[in-house]
Amino acid sequence: MVKAFTQEYVYKHPWERVTSASYRKFTDHENRRILTHILEVDTLSCKHDPISKKLYTTRAVTVHFPGPWFIRKIIGQEICHCIESTVVDAKSRSMQLSSRNVSLQKFIEVEEKIRYDPHPDNPSRWTVCRHETNIHLKPLPALASIAEKVEQRYVEKVVKYSATGREVMERICTYLEAESREIRRL
């Protein structure tokens, strides 16, 4: 069974600020206290193509496995390793992130896709974020009857973490806006 859901959110900040905030989300110590499910983030590669004006980044993200405690006990792991790939296209002003777990795939597959684009109604001041998540729990025979409930619980955790992530992004955007005003004032 696959559980899929999509969220859309509008940041009242320009695309450049929102994409900068996305890169800073995991680096600030204050954010790490808020994003408690994120244990570690390492940049594996970062390449800029001067012809296409695209920036390609790959990061390894280690998270606290958000599944129910009894599933964590059965599989014997509390953490999950993920790979996040990002493409920033400066020409079209688009940023696309995709992440997928690389551990625990025998039990669960999670794929997230996030896209940031200038908002069609106010492209110079707002950014629209589209967030799509697909969750596929591969139930153990003993747990087949509760697989759907476990997937729903996982969805609830992802929705909660997404909301927390948006709060962090808003805070960083506000900080970057104040920083920009201060620089212009000087």
Side-chain angles (χ1 to χ4, degrees):
M1 168 167 261
V2 175
K3 196 69 111 174
F5 65 96
T6 303
Q7 298 174 304
E8 190 168 296
Y9 183 77
V10 176
Y11 290 97
K12 303 285 172 115
H13 300 279
W15 178 83
E16 293 79 4
R17 187 176 302 141
V18 172
T19 55
S20 293
S22 177
Y23 273 102
R24 292 184 178 195
K25 183 166 59 172
F26 300 130
T27 59
D28 181 77
H29 289 295
E30 178 66 25
N31 299 341
R32 297 297 288 268
R33 283 197 296 270
I34 297 167
L35 300 169
T36 57
H37 64 292
I38 304 293
L39 302 175
E40 194 166 333
V41 179
D42 295 302
T43 300
L44 303 176
S45 70
C46 188
K47 297 176 185 153
H48 177 255
D49 181 348
I51 296 170
S52 69
K53 300 216 187 284
K54 291 183 181 178
L55 177 66
Y56 299 90
T57 306
T58 303
R59 299 195 285 193
V61 182
T62 303
V63 299
H64 183 265
F65 180 67
W69 67 270
F70 62 90
I71 297 293
R72 290 194 305 264
K73 288 289 187 194
I74 290 170
I75 62 176
Q77 279 189 264
E78 296 278 327
I79 62 170
C80 182
H81 301 285
C82 307
I83 295 293
E84 176 192 83
S85 300
T86 305
V87 178
V88 179
D89 186 339
K91 283 183 182 177
S92 68
R93 296 177 72 214
S94 174
M95 179 178 189
Q96 297 178 50
L97 292 90
S98 63
S99 62
R100 156 181 303 268
N101 63 303
V102 293
S103 65
L104 305 178
Q105 288 184 340
K106 287 186 346 188
F107 305 103
I108 189 166
E109 290 179 352
V110 179
E111 180 183 29
E112 286 187 279
K113 294 180 181 180
I114 302 173
R115 183 178 174 111
Y116 299 102
D117 294 296
H119 193 283
D121 296 337
N122 196 346
S124 65
R125 305 184 105 201
W126 296 351
T127 304
V128 64
C129 171
R130 290 176 186 87
H131 184 174
E132 176 186 321
T133 305
N134 293 298
I135 301 166
H136 179 224
L137 182 68
K138 299 173 183 179
L140 302 169
L143 300 176
S145 64
I146 61 167
E148 189 169 340
K149 290 178 185 175
V150 171
E151 283 179 344
Q152 184 58 42
R153 177 80 191 253
Y154 194 87
V155 165
E156 291 166 6
K157 290 272 192 175
V158 170
V159 169
K160 177 185 165 204
Y161 292 153
S162 296
T164 304
R166 285 191 303 274
E167 289 173 23
V168 167
M169 291 278 291
E170 284 287 357
R171 191 172 67 72
I172 296 169
C173 285
T174 301
Y175 168 79
L176 292 172
E177 181 179 16
E179 186 178 75
S180 176
R181 275 195 303 252
E182 184 65 28
I183 290 170
R184 283 194 303 260
R185 207 174 58 127
L186 297 174

